[in-house]
Structures are given as C-alpha cells and as structure tokens.
Amino acid sequence: MKETLQVVPTTRQIQLNDRSILELKFVPEGGGENPTLWWAAQRFMQGAKRFQELELLLPKVLQQWNSYPRVSRNVLTGQLTVSLVGNDFLHAQSEAAALASESLLHFRAALDSAVYQLSWKNTGNRPKGTAFPFCNRSDKWRKRVHTDLKGVADKYVSRIAQLQPFNGVSWTTQLGLLSNRDKHDQQVQIASVYSCQVDMKQEYPDPTRSDLKILQVTNAQVAFVFVPPDRKIDTKNPDIATDVLIDIMRGIVDFLNPLLEEDHVHPIQVVQTTNPD
C-alpha cells in the first residue's frame, strides 16, 4: 500500500447586502495591515498543490518507462555483465524536478512567513531580516536566534529550537539541505532508479553471441528518488522523493497549526488516504 497526502483548503462564507447592484471584490483574507499567520498557511498550500501535481505526474512517467537491464553471463569466464536497453536507468525527470523545486520553495517560504508574522505580532513593528533558521550545530544556535529570530517571543524561539537539525529532526534537516541546494547550487533532481532480482538458475541463449547466456530478471521495480550532489544514490536507503516531501509537509503542518489556532485562523486539514501500489 502507498500512503498519499491530501491537503484540503478551507472555505469562506460571504455575506452579501441586499442591493440592486451586486459588487463582488475578492481581497486576500487577513490583509497586509496587521500580522497574521494566514499568509504562512497560504504559502504552504501553494507548495502542497505543487506536491499533488508531482504525485499525479510520477505514475505517468512510470507508464512511459520501458527500459529493462539485461543481465548476461560469459560461459567461458563466468563474468556477469549488466547492459541497459534505453538510457533512462538514471534519468532526471525535468518536469518532476521543477515541481519538487517549487514545493520546496513554498514550504520554506511558509516557515519564513511564520517567523516574520510572529516577530511583527510580538513587537508591533514589521521586522527586517527574519527567517526560519536551519541550524546544524547547537553552538551556533544563539547567533542564529539573534540574526534570524529577532523579535520573536521566547516561547516560539524554544519551539523552533526543538525542530532544528542539530536536534536530529529529519524534516528540517531534509528541507534545509534540499532547499539550500536548490537555491545556491543546482535545482534538485529526481531520478528514476531501476532495481531487480536475478535468477541465477534461469539462463537462456543470447541470440547475438554464443559465449553469453541471458539470466532471468524478476521483481523489477522503479523508484523516484532525489539525486544527491555527488550523484551516488544509496540503493539500500534511497531518499524516495515523495516520502521526503510528505515528511516535510507533516512537520510544517504540526508546527503551523498551533500558531494558526492561536491566531484564530482555521488550521490546515490533512487527509490521509491509501492507494494500492
């Protein structure tokens, strides 16, 4: 079974006055004149939409994927050789990568917006230079508080500290690494990686070479993973792209929802469904 995430936006009720001419004006809820966590929720929703587009795209990519490795054994030396039919054994999907990149952009912006609003709410003034920190070393934390969280109330600083990578929190660690790479190095990439089992007892003649035997390939699977900067993928523990993004989304929702409720903003509703593989 595969677990997916659906984020459900809330609806608003609009009351209309009894007038002969009806004028409808759509203004963003919350406005920009006062601090509100509503903006952070909206940025998260944009990222969630990109994620849902990614989840719809990947099965289509999989349907078009038709490359299978051919495993052969040299009957003279016993050496095994793996050759590929097609060139997408490790192929970065540009459209999928773009959607993942946009998701990460919005997710990080949602956290930055939350910090901005919390500082403004606490001090009464619009802050400058605030950001949600991603700190890998505890001895650097106080400096990050001074630069990134100035004006934020202590109780929220403590809550943000608990979520830091130096505390071993996976979703902030992944979001910091991926979004920093996406902004400063290169766009995150998603690769389709093929895995299979080889039945050493099932051999067939190679029609093109008499010195080779073709081995039976079974249990073939394709996984979509984030490609690390060194392009060396850990096949035993790959970073499945959608799993990583779901973990990030859950973490952000758990962080934002208490803030939204305190701010009398409807919390983000997450509906989990299970789909057959």
Side-chain angles (χ1 to χ4, degrees), residues 174-218:
Q174 289 280 18
L175 179 55
L177 289 172
L178 290 171
S179 60
N180 281 339
R181 186 196 312 165
D182 192 66
K183 289 193 303 179
H184 304 301
D185 186 4
Q186 60 184 1
Q187 184 187 62
V188 293
Q189 292 182 304
I190 291 180
S192 52
V193 179
Y194 187 97
S195 64
C196 65
Q197 294 178 343
V198 178
D199 189 344
M200 301 296 293
K201 297 180 180 180
Q202 297 291 330
E203 294 184 342
Y204 305 93
D206 188 327
T208 62
R209 292 181 55 178
S210 61
D211 60 334
L212 295 181
K213 294 288 187 180
I214 305 300
L215 300 176
Q216 178 69 44
V217 173
T218 60

Side-chain angles (χ1 to χ4, degrees), residues 31-36 39 115-127 150-152:
E33 67 281 355
N34 296 303
T36 171
W39 294 108
V115 168
Y116 180 92
Q117 301 298 329
L118 289 173
S119 178
W120 183 9
K121 190 175 181 180
N122 187 48
T123 64
N125 298 306
R126 292 179 180 271
K150 50 183 176 290
V152 177

Side-chain angles (χ1 to χ4, degrees), residues 69-100:
R70 187 175 68 171
V71 183
S72 59
R73 182 181 66 85
N74 190 299
V75 296
L76 300 177
T77 64
Q79 182 179 3
L80 295 180
T81 302
V82 179
S83 60
L84 300 176
V85 179
N87 61 356
D88 53 359
F89 177 70
L90 182 59
H91 177 64
Q93 309 291 338
S94 59
E95 186 176 356
L99 289 173

Side-chain angles (χ1 to χ4, degrees), residues 90-108:
L90 182 59
H91 177 64
Q93 309 291 338
S94 59
E95 186 176 356
L99 289 173
S101 174
E102 291 180 30
S103 296
L104 294 166
L105 172 67
H106 287 298
F107 291 154
R108 185 155 183 170

Side-chain angles (χ1 to χ4, degrees), residues 19-77:
R19 298 179 57 181
S20 57
I21 298 177
L22 180 64
E23 296 179 355
L24 295 179
K25 296 182 179 180
F26 294 92
V27 180
E29 183 178 349
E33 67 281 355
N34 296 303
T36 171
L37 272 296
W38 181 86
W39 294 108
Q42 287 304 298
R43 286 305 298 262
F44 173 82
M45 291 296 296
Q46 291 301 315
K49 290 178 181 178
R50 301 290 86 75
F51 170 78
Q52 290 178 329
E53 292 174 19
L54 176 64
E55 278 206 315
L56 292 174
L57 172 66
L58 291 181
K60 296 179 181 179
V61 174
L62 186 59
Q63 290 175 357
Q64 299 171 357
W65 197 91
N66 59 4
S67 292
Y68 300 93
R70 187 175 68 171
V71 183
S72 59
R73 182 181 66 85
N74 190 299
V75 296
L76 300 177
T77 64

